[in-house]
Amino acid sequence: MTTAQIDSIKEFLDTKADLYNRPSFIERDPISIPHRFNKKQDIELMGFWAAVLAWGQRPVILKKANELVELMDGAPHDFVRNHAESDLKRFLNFKHRTFNATDALYFLHFFRQYYRENDSLEDAFLPDTTKPFDSPSLQTVESSLIAFHDRFCGLTDFFPERTRKHIATPARNSSCKRLLMFLRWMVRQDDRGVDFGLWTRIRPQQLVIPIDVHVNRVARHLKLLDRPQTDWKAALELTETLRQFDSMDPVRYDFALFGLGVEGEM
């Protein structure tokens, strides 16, 4: 790609990112679920859960995520820390596509154990390492995603193996699109009223773009992505391309690529 082509695409994507990165974007998107809350832990919990459930039609995703909020009495953090065993019965009929009651009950168990010992979910995504940020393994959130997967799936001896498919990891070359979307929500700080920017130990420049069907289609149309498979390596390739446009916040172009796709502009 020539310098002139890079400049032209950057200008185009900058305009579109500005158009879609605003509160009017929130209403029909899964990020509207954590925006119902003000408490940090409630935002983390429902952001995580909404992201995990984010496949299929958006109205259905929002319906099921809001159903979870109601099942937790409208106070997710308080519920996961203090629920009684009898309160779990209400989750036995919960289902969204392949996510079922077994998965929901393990999520609740993990969150209960975790939040009794930790203040923020960010700690679960921090790799156990003393390496400096410029270490290749820390230039992206790859180590963070692997660390979270291993913690989430290794909390107890009775981890239900079927639940593993809901927590992607780069170690299996998954594109990790839903977890990357969640990290974007938690980490990016731009005061535009969409992303929360609650976490500070993971940096915006470490984020990797979530490649959903819309981002995938538009990125290939604009020749920003060559790899034929849509996997972790493709997510890294596209992010590296976007770093040519903004090295400190490459994932802000998620708004442009997703918006162009979902709104039918491209």
Side-chain angles (χ1 to χ4, degrees), residues 133-197:
F133 172 65
D134 59 2
S135 169
S137 65
L138 296 181
Q139 288 178 359
T140 73
V141 291
E142 180 170 331
S143 296
S144 296
L145 291 172
I146 293 172
F148 178 78
H149 169 273
D150 293 348
R151 287 171 181 145
F152 185 90
C153 300
L155 181 65
T156 66
D157 293 335
F158 59 88
F159 172 74
E161 191 59 35
R162 60 155 286 116
T163 303
R164 189 182 300 274
K165 65 177 174 288
H166 299 298
I167 306 298
T169 173
R172 296 200 299 267
N173 201 27
S174 168
S175 67
C176 301
K177 63 180 179 182
R178 289 188 285 274
L179 287 179
L180 289 174
M181 180 174 67
F182 170 68
L183 289 180
R184 195 206 85 197
W185 296 350
M186 295 298 106
V187 173
R188 285 196 70 254
Q189 303 177 33
D190 62 4
D191 298 321
R192 296 296 299 269
V194 182
D195 292 329
F196 293 93

Side-chain angles (χ1 to χ4, degrees), residues 19-225:
L19 174 65
Y20 294 117
N21 185 11
R22 54 187 63 197
S24 58
F25 170 86
I26 294 173
E27 183 179 355
R28 295 176 294 155
D29 192 82
I31 200 175
S32 66
I33 303 299
H35 269 286
R36 291 181 53 180
F37 301 94
N38 296 312
K39 183 179 176 181
K40 177 180 180 178
Q41 292 83 1
D42 288 337
I43 294 171
E44 291 177 340
L45 275 164
M46 289 317 304
F48 181 81
W49 222 321
V52 168
L53 296 180
W55 79 101
Q57 296 181 343
R58 288 199 288 174
V60 178
I61 296 167
L62 298 182
K63 177 183 176 182
K64 300 307 291 188
N66 279 313
E67 182 181 333
L68 278 173
V69 174
E70 299 309 311
L71 288 172
M72 290 186 281
D73 300 325
H77 183 238
D78 181 69
F79 184 88
V80 299
R81 280 177 51 88
N82 302 308
H83 64 265
E85 200 71 21
S86 59
D87 294 325
L88 298 177
K89 294 179 181 178
R90 66 184 77 169
F91 292 87
L92 294 180
N93 294 320
F94 184 82
K95 181 177 175 59
H96 175 60
R97 298 176 76 96
T98 65
F99 190 98
N100 68 12
T102 298
D103 306 313
L105 292 175
Y106 182 78
F107 272 50
L108 290 168
H109 176 72
F110 173 83
F111 288 138
R112 182 188 185 107
Q113 297 294 105
Y114 181 82
Y115 276 108
R116 285 185 167 183
E117 300 176 1
N118 300 273
D119 181 65
S120 171
L121 194 58
E122 181 177 15
D123 295 276
F125 283 86
L126 298 178
D128 292 325
T129 180
T130 57
K131 295 177 182 178
F133 172 65
D134 59 2
S135 169
S137 65
L138 296 181
Q139 288 178 359
T140 73
V141 291
E142 180 170 331
S143 296
S144 296
L145 291 172
I146 293 172
F148 178 78
H149 169 273
D150 293 348
R151 287 171 181 145
F152 185 90
C153 300
L155 181 65
T156 66
D157 293 335
F158 59 88
F159 172 74
E161 191 59 35
R162 60 155 286 116
T163 303
R164 189 182 300 274
K165 65 177 174 288
H166 299 298
I167 306 298
T169 173
R172 296 200 299 267
N173 201 27
S174 168
S175 67
C176 301
K177 63 180 179 182
R178 289 188 285 274
L179 287 179
L180 289 174
M181 180 174 67
F182 170 68
L183 289 180
R184 195 206 85 197
W185 296 350
M186 295 298 106
V187 173
R188 285 196 70 254
Q189 303 177 33
D190 62 4
D191 298 321
R192 296 296 299 269
V194 182
D195 292 329
F196 293 93
L198 292 177
W199 295 356
T200 58
R201 284 172 289 175
I202 300 173
R203 307 178 189 183
Q205 60 264 44
Q206 291 175 280
L207 294 173
V208 175
I209 192 163
I211 305 183
D212 72 349
V213 63
H214 303 292
V215 170
N216 189 39
R217 184 176 72 251
V218 175
R220 294 184 188 282
H221 180 81
L222 293 174
K223 302 189 184 308
L224 302 175
L225 177 61

Side-chain angles (χ1 to χ4, degrees), residues 8-27:
S8 177
I9 293 176
K10 171 177 167 50
E11 182 179 1
F12 174 66
L13 293 181
D14 282 341
T15 300
K16 294 303 180 180
D18 180 68
L19 174 65
Y20 294 117
N21 185 11
R22 54 187 63 197
S24 58
F25 170 86
I26 294 173
E27 183 179 355

